[in-house]
Amino acid sequence: MSQVFRALSDPTRRRVLQLLRQGPMSAGELSDQFDVSKPTMSAHFAVLKEADLVHAEKVGKSVIYHLKLSVLEEALLGFAQSFGIGVEAPDQHREKAGWTGN
């Protein structure tokens, strides 16, 4: 999970993920959206691949990136649960079930 949060810590990488939500894009199409060098973008892509947030597919001379949303969802769910977000307190669960403890 630490690799996912490392990847998400950078605004450029977060923007890449946002762009990929619209659908697969080539490395060139993604790079055109940023005012950084191609080697810098390649480094960002490598971090995203290492975190398993994107899948790279070689098509001819192009590399097409696909978002792996399930990995991101799992990481965010795990993070939220580690803080008790989305988890009911035991007393609330008992009250909903009609259990009063008497």
Side-chain angles (χ1 to χ4, degrees):
M1 190 160 51
S2 63
Q3 289 179 326
V4 172
F5 288 109
R6 176 178 171 249
L8 294 175
S9 70
D10 184 88
T12 299
R13 293 191 288 266
R14 289 193 306 266
R15 179 70 181 132
V16 167
L17 296 176
Q18 288 174 336
L19 290 167
L20 290 175
R21 285 185 65 209
Q22 300 168 14
M25 296 177 75
S26 71
E29 291 170 325
L30 288 164
S31 295
D32 289 345
Q33 303 293 316
F34 301 91
D35 190 26
V36 297
S37 69
K38 301 270 187 207
T40 298
M41 285 305 296
S42 291
H44 285 304
F45 296 146
V47 171
L48 291 169
K49 287 191 297 187
E50 184 179 309
D52 205 28
L53 293 172
V54 297
H55 166 72
E57 172 187 15
K58 183 88 167 154
V59 178
K61 293 184 179 184
S62 297
V63 177
I64 307 297
Y65 286 94
H66 303 261
L67 179 63
K68 293 176 82 174
L69 194 55
S70 61
V71 173
L72 182 59
E73 288 173 336
E74 275 183 41
L76 293 176
L77 181 60
F79 180 73
Q81 287 177 344
S82 70
F83 286 97
I85 300 170
V87 179
E88 287 185 2
D91 290 341
Q92 290 174 338
H93 182 70
R94 288 182 196 148
E95 288 173 15
K96 286 185 179 178
W99 188 80
T100 60
N102 294 338

